[in-house]
Amino acid sequence: MSKLIVDGELMLYGPVGFTDFWDESGFTSSQVIEALAELSDDIVVRLNSGGGIAMEGSAIHNALKRHDGRVIVKIDAIAASAASLIAMAGDEIEMPLGTLLMIHEPSGMTLGPADDHRRTAGVLETMTGVFAQVYAERTGLSEKEIRQMMKDETWMAPQDALANGFATSVSEHAPTASRADAAFDYRTYAKAPDRLKKLATERKAMGLPMVAVAPAPHKRKEVTMTEPNVAPADDQATAKVQDVNSRIYQLCTIAKMTLAEANNIVLDAKGDLAKAQRMIINHLADQDPMGGRVSHNPMADSNCSVMVARDIEDALYARIAGKPAQGRASEWQGRSLLDMGAALLEARGERVISRNRDRLATQIMSSGATHSTSDFPFVTGNAANRFLLDAYRAAETPLKQLARLRNAANFKAMTIGRMSEMPKLEEVLEGAEITYGTRSEAKETYRVKTYAKMFGISREALINDDLDAFSDTLRAFGQAAAQTEADLIADLLLDNNGLGPLLDDDVTLFANARGNKAVTPSALTISSVSAGRKAMRDQKGLDNETPLSLKPQFLIVGSDNETTGEQIIAAITPSATEEVNPFSGKLSLLVEPRLEDAAWRLFASPDQAPILEIAYLNGVQQPKLETREGWNTLGTEFRAILDFGCGITGWRGAYLNEGE
């Protein structure tokens, strides 16, 4: 059994991404994955770590997210830096009082020429963005807020973590009196609590090595000189040697050197950190069959290509939408589609086979076969999807405001059950039994269906640098998705000549027998709306006894009644009592031109009395765009898919007047 599993729980104590040679604490992503293979169903993860290697933390986070059961994370003492990323994988995150959680920007160290440092900076920027998305998704805070918290190196007690969404519960007492990960040198963090820095100082005074993944923060000299408290020269010299030796041990640990090798370097360096660094580098070169020569850094290339892909995606979106590009994306403004595609190929390390426009277009389009996030078809698809959603949201029908939202797990028929109101409470006489109350039930059904169309961007359009037809098609598809929803919802209301569909009692949605339809059609006036409001107030529950006292919130009209509807809900300053508008500020006007010209309807809030329900498959509340390399055409094919359904949940809470 994995050493990380103790009493059926996954114990993640110590540095993230490697094992500390001296106390054997720490864990790697491969060890966690092996341990998870031995665990099933719901698991408890106990976390106590000062941090470690950022990408190892990311890998462990993803491994926990893939686990087939619920993940309960219990922070026994501290979850800082990379460990906080691991904690975010929990379905539940528990922090006892006295524990800490910290997030900050990842850091790194580069040895090499200027280009290597710039590449490292790009990788760190990408990692910060990726990790910020994880924190934002967990907490509900915006990425901008998260990135500022990371930049500020934010330490959170349990109550702070709970308030910010980083924890789901706070317990008064930890099950065991755990101490913060002692092997970690918390002095490398700029804002670590004093008690953690003291812990590191005490460990150093005992001559024990410590782990520090991030370099110590650089502090600029103050502009105005202050007189420091200077320790005696001998004490300063001793402290300096101890700090240097501690740092050497840290570097040796990261280099995976043995304790004997680390001791030799400490003895030979004699307090000279630069000399120790050269010895460590030489040691690594001796172990490297390439003799220390760097030929390729796949991680850096991967992150570089992701950054280029994001910038090009933003530039393509701006171009399709007819907007100016912002930030780094502005550097690609004015560049041709072929230039962008070639840049993506080069950022991924591919050799551009030809500058011939036709051959280059073919190579750019065929790169989609690798299914990478930096493929040109993938990047184009992301930009296209953003614009399609803009068009979809701009064209959405106001009738969706009447609906209660539901998530569908499949395409099977969904049943909408409605229970009647609870019966009134009855007086219980002395010594008498309490009687059972009964409730009646009604049901309606509907299901989600798929609506889709295909279109493409041709190789010719790519060569000609032409996106006009593409953007027009996207706009039309976004609008078509919204219109599909509007047609389906309106068709429900217009069924049976405007009386709505037959419900489970074989009576239409609106009927005189239900008391939710005007007996005599009349024009839209204050008086007729008042009659509709009274009809809704007088509605009874499923037991036909309990008054519901429903009130209208929406006035729904066709285009012919829009102006009259605005007058009905307008605020006026009356000069006499009879001029008072009783509906001023009490109704919201919804105009849908698909509805009959003369008819008008009143609807209660869906929270009070839902009449209409809409559903999307697996919670995707919008059309989605999928891409593939062209088969029927030379280029890239796109398909817009909408999985949507709608149905009527009941009839109370709505009123119809067929108008004049």
Side-chain angles (χ1 to χ4, degrees):
M1 178 176 286
S2 168
K3 69 174 185 178
L4 299 182
I5 301 176
V6 179
D7 295 332
E9 298 179 335
L10 187 60
M11 304 293 289
L12 302 185
Y13 273 44
V16 178
F18 55 91
T19 301
D20 178 55
F21 288 113
W22 292 274
D23 62 11
E24 296 186 350
S25 66
F27 50 91
T28 66
S29 58
S30 59
Q31 290 173 331
V32 172
I33 291 171
E34 290 173 1
L36 287 173
E38 301 177 24
L39 298 170
S40 60
D41 301 325
D42 297 350
I43 62 172
V44 172
V45 179
R46 292 199 174 276
L47 189 56
N48 182 12
S49 172
I53 300 174
M55 294 311 296
E56 282 283 287
S58 178
I60 295 169
H61 169 91
N62 291 328
L64 291 172
K65 293 290 284 186
R66 291 192 301 267
H67 183 67
D68 56 6
R70 288 178 59 78
V71 176
I72 296 91
V73 173
K74 296 179 180 289
I75 299 175
D76 284 349
I78 186 169
S81 188
S84 68
L85 193 69
I86 296 172
M88 296 303 102
D91 297 293
E92 299 176 23
I93 305 171
E94 178 185 309
M95 291 184 66
L97 295 178
T99 59
L100 287 171
L101 184 142
M102 183 273 279
I103 66 171
H104 69 160
E105 294 179 323
S107 59
M109 182 175 64
T110 305
L111 297 175
D115 284 344
D116 287 348
H117 291 284
R118 278 189 284 268
R119 175 171 290 179
T120 298
V123 171
L124 291 174
E125 176 63 26
T126 299
M127 289 167 61
T128 300
V130 171
F131 298 162
Q133 290 177 358
V134 173
Y135 293 128
E137 181 180 352
R138 169 80 249 187
T139 64
L141 298 174
S142 68
E143 286 189 38
K144 182 178 180 181
E145 291 173 306
I146 291 292
R147 293 194 69 148
Q148 187 59 52
M149 293 177 72
M150 294 173 71
K151 183 180 289 291
D152 293 341
E153 185 185 305
T154 302
W155 291 79
M156 287 171 275
Q159 296 88 343
D160 300 324
L162 182 64
N164 289 321
F166 289 89
T168 60
S169 65
V170 175
S171 59
E172 293 186 2
H173 301 288
T176 57
S178 299
R179 194 180 188 194
D181 177 17
F184 205 89
D185 189 355
Y186 297 99
R187 297 170 302 171
T188 60
Y189 293 141
K191 298 181 180 178
D194 291 340
R195 64 183 176 89
L196 294 181
K197 292 181 179 179
K198 181 180 179 182
L199 176 66
T201 302
E202 290 173 349
R203 184 175 174 87
K204 182 196 72 172
M206 295 169 63
L208 297 174
M210 292 178 289
V211 176
V213 176
H218 174 69
K219 298 181 180 179
R220 294 174 293 179
K221 292 183 179 180
E222 296 178 340
V223 177
T224 57
M225 299 298 294
T226 58
E227 184 176 353
N229 293 322
V230 182
D234 290 344
D235 291 345
Q236 291 185 58
T238 301
K240 180 179 179 181
V241 171
Q242 289 177 342
D243 286 342
V244 170
N245 289 344
S246 175
R247 182 62 179 148
I248 294 172
Y249 276 118
Q250 294 160 14
L251 294 175
C252 290
T253 300
I254 295 171
K256 301 186 183 297
M257 296 171 65
T258 66
L259 178 57
E261 290 168 338
N263 287 337
N264 288 335
I265 289 181
V266 169
L267 292 173
D268 292 344
K270 297 179 180 179
D272 188 339
L273 180 59
K275 181 179 179 180
Q277 288 175 323
R278 288 193 298 270
M279 295 171 68
I280 294 170
I281 293 170
N282 290 336
H283 170 84
L284 292 174
D286 291 340
Q287 306 301 313
D288 185 359
M290 294 292 292
R293 297 187 300 275
V294 179
S295 60
H296 182 63
N297 186 340
M299 178 58 70
D301 286 350
S302 172
N303 283 282
C304 177
S305 65
V306 170
M307 291 180 62
V308 172
R310 285 185 177 178
D311 294 344
I312 290 179
E313 177 191 322
D314 290 342
L316 281 172
Y317 166 70
R319 181 170 169 182
I320 294 170
K323 303 175 182 178
Q326 303 293 326
R328 291 199 309 261
S330 61
E331 298 176 9
W332 296 95
Q333 194 161 320
R335 302 279 289 274
S336 71
L337 297 176
L338 287 177
D339 285 343
M340 295 180 185
L344 285 171
L345 292 173
E346 291 172 344
R348 281 176 36 191
E350 293 189 26
R351 184 172 63 88
V352 177
I353 60 177
S354 175
R355 289 296 176 182
N356 176 279
R357 298 173 69 85
D358 180 56
R359 292 186 64 194
L360 179 57
T362 301
Q363 183 185 7
I364 291 169
M365 289 298 191
S366 63
S367 71
T370 65
H371 304 293
S372 166
T373 56
S374 56
D375 288 337
F376 184 78
F378 187 93
V379 171
T380 308
N382 283 349
N385 195 55
R386 290 164 61 180
F387 180 67
L388 180 143
L389 293 182
D390 288 345
Y392 162 76
R393 290 178 178 130
E396 283 184 297
T397 174
L399 296 181
K400 290 175 69 174
Q401 297 180 52
L402 305 175
R404 180 175 62 185
L405 183 63
R406 185 172 179 180
N407 178 40
N410 50 48
F411 295 102
K412 296 179 181 179
M414 293 184 293
T415 299
I416 309 167
R418 302 188 311 281
M419 298 297 296
S420 69
E421 295 68 30
M422 286 295 295
K424 296 177 182 178
L425 300 181
E426 298 176 346
E427 179 185 0
V428 179
L429 300 177
E430 184 177 356
E433 293 183 351
I434 302 175
T435 60
Y436 284 95
T438 59
R439 304 175 72 186
S440 56
E441 182 180 8
K443 296 180 179 178
E444 307 295 339
T445 62
Y446 72 100
R447 68 186 184 92
V448 167
K449 299 179 181 179
T450 298
Y451 306 87
K453 277 290 185 181
M454 291 184 64
F455 61 101
I457 178 172
S458 67
R459 184 179 59 169
E460 181 181 351
L462 182 62
I463 294 173
N464 294 338
D465 199 37
D466 181 13
L467 281 180
D468 291 342
F470 185 52
S471 61
D472 289 343
T473 303
L474 287 171
R475 182 181 293 105
F477 268 78
Q479 293 170 345
Q483 290 162 2
T484 297
E485 293 179 350
D487 288 342
L488 293 170
I489 296 173
D491 286 348
L492 283 175
L493 299 179
L494 294 174
D495 198 9
N496 292 309
N497 296 317
L499 298 181
L502 291 174
L503 303 187
D504 65 336
D505 58 0
D506 290 328
V507 180
T508 55
L509 168 62
F510 297 103
N512 290 332
R514 298 193 189 280
N516 68 349
K517 174 180 174 292
V519 176
T520 303
S522 59
L524 182 61
T525 63
I526 294 289
S527 176
S528 61
V529 172
S530 179
R533 179 174 64 175
K534 182 181 186 306
M536 291 180 65
R537 287 287 192 189
D538 292 343
Q539 283 289 354
K540 301 291 193 301
L542 281 175
D543 58 5
N544 291 318
E545 295 180 2
T546 305
L548 298 181
S549 189
L550 302 174
K551 64 177 181 180
Q553 180 170 323
F554 299 101
L555 171 61
I556 299 94
V557 301
S559 54
D560 275 12
N561 267 331
E562 181 171 3
T563 300
T564 305
E566 289 175 338
Q567 293 172 336
I568 292 290
I569 66 172
I572 61 174
T573 304
S575 57
T577 303
E578 61 271 13
E579 294 179 2
V580 172
N581 180 3
F583 300 107
S584 173
K586 296 181 180 179
L587 291 174
S588 296
L589 179 66
L590 304 183
V591 181
E592 175 48 74
R594 291 170 175 79
L595 300 180
E596 313 96 313
D597 292 335
W600 53 271
R601 297 166 176 82
L602 295 173
F603 272 70
S605 164
D607 294 330
Q608 185 184 28
I611 300 296
L612 174 67
E613 187 172 275
I614 61 176
Y616 295 89
L617 185 67
N618 294 325
V620 182
Q621 301 172 24
Q622 58 198 28
K624 58 183 178 181
L625 203 63
E626 296 179 344
T627 66
R628 73 169 184 176
E629 186 179 354
W631 183 257
N632 297 322
T633 60
L634 292 175
T636 300
E637 293 179 343
F638 298 84
R639 63 181 183 187
I641 301 173
L642 176 68
D643 296 313
F644 175 79
C646 59
I648 297 298
T649 66
W651 53 267
R652 298 167 180 82
Y655 177 84
L656 167 69
N657 190 310
E658 295 173 294
E660 288 184 345

